[in-house]
Amino acid sequence: MNTQTDIVDKVALALSGALVVIGTAVLGTVEILAGQPYGAAPVTNEAGEIVATPAVDPVIRTGVVLAGLAVLLLWGVYRAAAAEEAPERERRDVTAD
């Protein structure tokens, strides 16, 4: 079994990690710095008018995180398809003392 990482592994893991971190930590920090509201839904007044919206659309944040997870899934499929079959091990009889 090949345990060495090649350039495809490094790029896939870096891209996946970067997308997940951007979608959660970076865009979450942008939301906090932008101020209220922190929720995903727009804030309305009693008349139903929208008075405040989130700084970053929740659909964009979710899409960035899901893109990172999709890259990770595709990398896993690639690794499974590219895996070499492990050579058969010799069977040894082990006796207990």
Side-chain angles (χ1 to χ4, degrees), residues 1 11 68 75 79:
M1 184 172 172
V11 168
W75 171 76
R79 286 294 287 179

Side-chain angles (χ1 to χ4, degrees), residues 37-94:
Y38 297 127
V43 177
T44 59
N45 60 13
E46 283 112 26
E49 298 171 336
I50 296 176
V51 293
T53 59
V56 179
D57 189 16
V59 174
I60 293 173
R61 288 184 68 186
T62 304
V64 170
V65 172
L66 288 178
L69 294 176
V71 169
L72 191 61
L73 174 70
L74 291 174
W75 171 76
V77 170
Y78 160 76
R79 286 294 287 179
E84 300 171 358
E85 287 190 26
E88 292 185 26
R89 297 181 186 175
E90 293 181 22
R91 184 175 178 163
R92 297 183 191 177
D93 291 329
V94 178

